[in-house]
Amino acid sequence: MRREDHAFVRARTDREDVYQSNSQPSSLTDRGHQYPAAFIIKASGLDKHSLAAGADAAIPFVHVDIAGSAEDGNEPGLGLCAITGSPVATFAGAFWSA
């Protein structure tokens, strides 16, 4: 990640806290596949819990992108697999008990 990723998601007016995206596809946006991490960091509050903030400020956090498991594979040329929702089933099995 770079400073410009965080600059991209900074609030531009007093009506917003964080900027999620623009109107361009990520393939046409500078660092369009990197700045979403800056959005997640800001929106989740992780920016207030860095290593420099100390152990008392540490919080557990995980982001799992399930997009690859949520596609139907009908788009020609993408080569995506069938819908599996694999991460959802994995978390359900790990955290739900009968």
Side-chain angles (χ1 to χ4, degrees), residues 29-45:
T29 300
D30 287 341
R31 299 189 51 79
H33 289 88
Q34 287 82 22
Y35 81 81
F39 167 77
I40 291 170
I41 289 169
K42 178 69 173 172
S44 69

Side-chain angles (χ1 to χ4, degrees), residues 6 10 15 19 35-36 42-43 50 59 62 64 73 77 82 85 89 93 96:
H6 293 276
R10 71 168 170 37
R15 298 181 308 263
Y19 193 72
Y35 81 81
K42 178 69 173 172
S50 68
I59 58 172
V62 65
V64 178
W96 287 346

Side-chain angles (χ1 to χ4, degrees), residues 4-25:
E4 58 263 33
D5 299 325
H6 293 276
F8 184 90
V9 301
R10 71 168 170 37
R12 290 164 172 77
T13 71
D14 61 354
R15 298 181 308 263
E16 59 203 17
D17 297 317
V18 64
Y19 193 72
Q20 182 177 2
S21 64
N22 62 8
S23 60
Q24 298 292 323

